[in-house]
Amino acid sequence: MDQTWLKRRILLAVSLAAVLGGAQLCSAAEASDTAMDNLELGETVVTATRTKLEEKQVPMAVQVIKADEMKKKGAYNVRDAIKNATGIDVSRNGTSMVGNNVSVRGMGITETLILVDGRRIAGEDSASTMNAYELDRINVNQIDRVEILRGSGSAVWGSDATGGVINIITKKNKPQGGYAGTRTGSLESSVYGGFATGDMGKLNMNFDFNLTKVRKEDNNGSTNMYGPRRNFSFNGNYRFNDHSGLDFGASFMKEQLTSLSGSTTAGTTTSYYDNNRSDYHVKYYGFDRKNDWEIQSYYSRLGKVGRTRTAAWDDFNHARYSTWVNEAKNTYKMDKNNTLTYGMEVKNQKAGGTRFANSGGGTRIERYLGMTSPYGSASQNSYAFYLEDEMKLGDKLLFVPSVRFDHHDSFGSEWSPRAGLTYSFSKASRLKVNYGKAFRAPTIFELYSQMIHSPIASMRVIVEGNPDLQPEKSTNFDISLEGEKGKATGKLTYFRNKISNLIDSERVSLSFSGGIRNFLYKYRNVDKATFNGVEAETRYKFDKHWSARANYTYLDARDGNTNKRLTGRALNTGTVELSWTDAKKAPWTATLYNQWYQNYLTSADNKSYSYSLTNFVVTKDIGSLSLYAGIDNLFNKKFDSSDSIWTDGRVWRAGAEWKF
């Protein structure tokens, strides 16, 4: 890291700390030695505005999935937990059976920002792997809720949030006690547990673990990535007094996975993946009658070791990714009608590996299992400031304008403005409108990679980065009506996203050397796209025993150059769910739900697929013991090995959890 950047980092951090410290000191006279009055907001969300607002008040399209709902579905992982959320696609990556699509409103995996407690996590950053594995890697038993923001989040979160944000919020400050559980099924088996110390004076600590085994699934000789995955974490809180404290913690993830690709004349190709991630954070926070502030620093690192063997070792990949962020934020209640939120962020990202031979940094030779490969590394530095005002204009209108300024050393500066409003016709009905600009910065891989695939069938593929890439830019608009009447709730939304400067790899040359065809691809700003759609959501509670809900999404995603439909997306998707409970203190519950996809267009064969999956889960509480069992894809919907779409077929799951 150069001295200029280090001086800039220190200056920015000290400057904003002084601003927030000034706010704290100026208001300290107002703070008493006793706890401040708590404002009861009911069900709140934080992802849309980085402040606590009632879900009904938030202008943006937000959905909250709580731990109880995940438990009710018997979720293996976060992908399971959110798979039937409105406007979300987390389906498996076709017949490769490796990773997931993660898209919001049809925007791709590179345009969806995944956070844990509002913090970024280090992960793969190529266009085909970004976010593809993250939802499987997080300990689902540690989650309190998942907040999904549909639509631009760049005005408060910056890059990568052009399509939306998935913020995974973990359990904290739990009362003294513990839990232990096990689950098993066709796809995974695991044992998990945790313990909370409760309040030990001013200190509270939580410890959690999850030991998972991903089962092997075979599709005509090719398999998923299977094997063990382990998660360990601890989180702590120390209260200095009734209105300030310190949050801190660390988490660790280790994968040792294997996959097989279809047999060839040379034999079956076996790939091994050893992945390790560690995350650390510390946050100072406080509040008084006017301010709610926090200053935090966090670091995330992912290390990857991959190797491939057919008759002998023939390829390997080493990679390391890290993200270090220092940020500060304050929410200042100016008066009863204006709440101002402002903050700053300083971020350093690094990536290196055997796929970065022509990177922006130095290179060296990596040796492994008798093979050699150039190893390069590069870094990307940025800083940002943002400002937002929650303005109550009378009794019926909430107007939330916000703007963020980001500066990246790789391409310069970007502004991300957004404005949202909620107009309440009554307590039970409202109109919401949003308009904003967003951007996605090119990743280090897209800027500096040189990925060389070993010759296969006399063909070598080379993918080169492009340090002259510009950020993707998008314009987002949505308008929705929502309301409640009696036992029913409903919401109808129209959205439109227009994106330009899409980053994609484009073939730039074909050459011949030693009987091998060499295909050279390079990342360029080549594409543009438009996403138009409609979302509908409804719930109805018949009585204390029966309830139903349904959602529907129409998505027309088109290439801006050819006007053809974009692949990897369905034209129509929906979920219909029926739930029953005996409504007793230790209840039985049963849930039957159907997910359907119509006109799902794939890229591999340019075919459209229409299908539905029916799932059933039953749960039972017996004192401190909870049991569940279920079947996914009840009618065993499968596709032929020649199809470019994949389902797991009928799978079963069961589990038990004991709290003490």
Side-chain angles (χ1 to χ4, degrees):
M1 185 181 299
D2 60 67
Q3 292 184 351
T4 302
W5 169 249
L6 182 60
K7 291 178 181 178
R8 183 185 298 169
R9 177 192 296 273
I10 294 173
L11 178 61
L12 289 171
V14 170
S15 298
L16 192 60
V19 171
L20 294 177
Q24 177 185 354
L25 291 172
C26 291
S27 58
E30 301 180 24
S32 65
D33 292 332
T34 59
M36 296 295 164
D37 296 332
N38 292 322
L39 180 62
E40 294 295 334
L41 293 176
E43 183 62 37
T44 60
V45 294
V46 299
T47 305
T49 60
R50 299 187 77 149
T51 63
K52 294 179 180 180
L53 274 179
E54 281 188 281
E55 192 173 349
K56 292 180 181 179
Q57 289 182 300
V58 174
M60 301 81 195
V62 178
Q63 183 172 354
V64 180
I65 301 172
K66 298 181 181 179
D68 287 346
E69 187 174 349
M70 301 178 202
K71 175 183 173 183
K72 186 178 175 182
K73 298 291 177 59
Y76 281 124
N77 46 46
V78 183
R79 177 177 63 86
D80 260 3
I82 69 174
K83 65 183 179 182
N84 56 354
T86 305
I88 300 294
D89 180 16
V90 289
S91 57
R92 296 283 287 274
N93 267 339
T95 53
S96 70
M97 307 168 63
V98 175
N100 314 299
N101 296 311
V102 182
S103 69
V104 181
R105 290 180 171 174
M107 303 286 273
I109 61 175
T110 56
E111 285 82 33
T112 302
L113 177 61
I114 298 177
L115 304 169
V116 176
D117 292 321
R119 299 187 294 269
R120 295 171 182 266
I121 49 180
E124 295 86 349
D125 66 352
S126 74
S128 60
T129 59
M130 182 183 293
N131 293 330
Y133 313 109
E134 299 310 325
L135 298 183
D136 293 335
R137 288 172 170 165
I138 297 165
N139 183 2
V140 70
N141 310 292
Q142 196 182 351
I143 297 173
D144 178 66
R145 67 189 189 276
V146 179
E147 294 184 0
I148 300 172
L149 169 64
R150 303 192 301 272
S152 169
S154 287
V156 290
W157 296 107
S159 179
D160 308 337
T162 51
V165 180
I166 299 173
N167 191 8
I168 300 159
I169 299 173
T170 61
K171 299 172 184 176
K172 306 175 189 68
N173 300 326
K174 294 182 286 187
Q176 184 179 24
Y179 67 100
T182 182
R183 60 170 56 94
T184 187
S186 304
L187 302 181
E188 293 183 5
S189 63
S190 65
V191 293
Y192 61 90
F195 177 75
T197 64
D199 290 335
M200 301 185 298
K202 296 183 177 182
L203 181 65
N204 187 298
M205 296 281 288
N206 305 323
F207 302 87
D208 299 271
F209 74 91
N210 188 329
L211 308 177
T212 293
K213 180 181 179 181
V214 181
R215 299 190 190 278
K216 180 179 177 180
E217 299 175 73
D218 190 276
N219 180 34
N220 198 31
S222 295
T223 73
N224 61 324
M225 290 194 295
Y226 61 92
R229 177 184 295 119
R230 308 173 185 89
N231 293 85
F232 300 91
S233 66
F234 76 90
N235 288 280
N237 172 260
Y238 184 84
R239 299 185 305 278
F240 297 115
N241 49 49
D242 290 331
H243 49 84
S244 66
L246 193 70
D247 281 335
F248 55 91
S251 63
F252 307 91
M253 184 277 302
K254 183 178 181 62
E255 295 175 320
Q256 293 173 297
L257 305 177
T258 303
S259 71
L260 307 178
S261 57
S263 298
T264 66
T265 55
T268 299
T269 299
T270 306
S271 298
Y272 302 90
Y273 310 90
D274 296 335
N275 306 320
N276 297 272
R277 183 159 61 206
S278 53
D279 298 87
Y280 311 88
H281 73 274
V282 59
K283 177 171 70 175
Y284 169 70
Y285 67 91
F287 67 94
D288 55 40
R289 288 190 174 90
K290 288 286 189 180
N291 298 276
D292 186 351
W293 65 85
E294 60 183 49
I295 303 173
Q296 77 167 327
S297 179
Y298 63 89
Y299 177 80
S300 179
R301 179 189 182 277
L302 174 69
K304 295 169 59 68
V305 177
R307 55 203 183 276
T308 302
R309 182 184 185 96
T310 309
W313 294 114
D314 49 34
D315 193 18
F316 77 97
N317 175 34
H318 290 178
R320 298 181 183 91
Y321 305 90
S322 69
T323 298
W324 179 29
V325 179
N326 296 286
E327 62 180 16
K329 176 180 75 75
N330 186 45
T331 297
Y332 174 64
K333 190 172 180 59
M334 299 173 63
D335 52 49
K336 66 178 182 179
N337 294 320
N338 287 272
T339 300
L340 195 67
T341 298
Y342 55 93
M344 66 149 293
E345 174 187 284
V346 182
K347 180 173 61 177
N348 170 254
Q349 292 179 295
K350 293 182 179 179
T354 54
R355 305 299 193 236
F356 293 86
N358 282 353
S359 66
T363 61
R364 58 181 170 83
I365 298 300
E366 188 88 346
R367 292 177 172 82
Y368 185 66
L369 297 174
M371 298 174 285
T372 61
S373 178
Y375 184 105
S377 61
S379 64
Q380 190 177 67
N381 301 306
S382 65
Y383 61 86
F385 300 92
Y386 57 89
L387 177 68
E388 177 182 76
D389 191 8
E390 296 169 16
M391 306 167 61
K392 294 182 180 179
L393 305 177
D395 296 331
K396 294 182 176 294
L397 182 63
L398 175 67
F399 179 52
V400 186
S402 53
V403 64
R404 178 174 169 127
F405 171 82
D406 284 85
H407 179 82
H408 287 243
D409 61 4
S410 58
F411 62 82
S413 304
E414 287 292 332
W415 290 90
S416 302
R418 182 181 69 182
L421 64 85
T422 300
Y423 182 81
S424 300
F425 301 109
S426 66
K427 289 184 178 180
S429 61
R430 61 207 67 89
L431 172 72
K432 297 183 177 182
V433 182
N434 292 280
Y435 177 84
K437 302 281 189 178
F439 81 101
R440 182 179 79 84
T443 67
I444 295 176
F445 187 88
E446 291 167 337
L447 290 168
Y448 304 119
S449 66
Q450 186 180 36
M451 184 171 68
I452 303 175
H453 287 289
S454 299
I456 300 176
S458 301
M459 180 180 71
R460 179 187 286 114
V461 176
I462 303 170
V463 181
E464 284 190 358
N466 181 357
D468 296 323
L469 286 174
Q470 294 301 304
E472 297 179 351
K473 297 183 180 181
S474 67
T475 302
N476 303 267
F477 170 78
D478 62 59
I479 181 170
S480 62
L481 283 169
E482 64 180 47
E484 305 82 39
K485 185 175 182 180
K487 300 177 180 180
T489 65
K491 185 174 184 178
L492 182 66
T493 303
Y494 166 77
F495 64 87
R496 177 180 174 84
N497 299 330
K498 189 174 182 179
I499 187 167
S500 61
N501 271 358
L502 270 172
I503 299 171
D504 200 0
S505 58
E506 184 179 56
R507 197 177 87 181
V508 295
S509 70
L510 169 61
S511 62
F512 295 86
S513 175
I516 296 175
R517 293 175 297 164
N518 296 287
F519 293 87
L520 175 61
Y521 290 81
K522 192 167 186 176
Y523 282 104
R524 292 185 175 182
N525 295 105
V526 293
D527 292 329
K528 54 185 178 179
T530 302
F531 302 81
N532 287 286
V534 175
E535 297 167 341
E537 306 169 63
T538 185
R539 294 174 182 262
Y540 189 82
K541 187 174 180 63
F542 298 98
D543 53 35
K544 67 178 183 179
H545 299 292
W546 293 93
S547 62
R549 77 175 187 91
N551 63 51
Y552 164 76
T553 301
Y554 166 79
L555 175 65
D556 184 23
R558 295 192 174 271
D559 187 305
N561 299 314
T562 64
N563 201 39
K564 292 182 179 180
R565 274 190 60 208
L566 296 176
T567 59
R569 296 159 177 88
L571 190 65
N572 297 281
T573 58
T575 300
V576 178
E577 178 183 299
L578 181 65
S579 296
W580 172 86
T581 177
D582 62 5
K584 294 181 179 180
K585 185 176 181 180
W588 282 94
T589 67
T591 305
L592 178 71
Y593 61 103
N594 178 271
Q595 301 167 273
W596 55 274
Y597 306 82
Q598 189 269 330
N599 203 350
Y600 195 107
L601 186 64
T602 61
S603 58
D605 53 10
N606 203 36
K607 288 174 58 178
S608 290
Y609 296 85
S610 297
Y611 63 100
S612 67
L613 305 173
T614 302
N615 312 280
F616 178 74
V617 181
V618 61
T619 69
K620 172 60 178 174
D621 289 341
I622 307 173
S624 58
L625 181 66
S626 298
L627 306 172
Y628 80 87
I631 299 176
D632 290 353
N633 195 357
L634 192 63
F635 301 108
N636 200 28
K637 174 64 179 177
K638 290 185 177 181
F639 293 92
D640 293 334
S641 59
S642 59
D643 291 323
S644 59
I645 198 165
W646 169 261
T647 62
D648 293 305
R650 183 186 297 116
V651 299
W652 62 273
R653 62 182 70 204
E657 182 178 302
W658 175 54
K659 293 184 178 180
F660 55 90

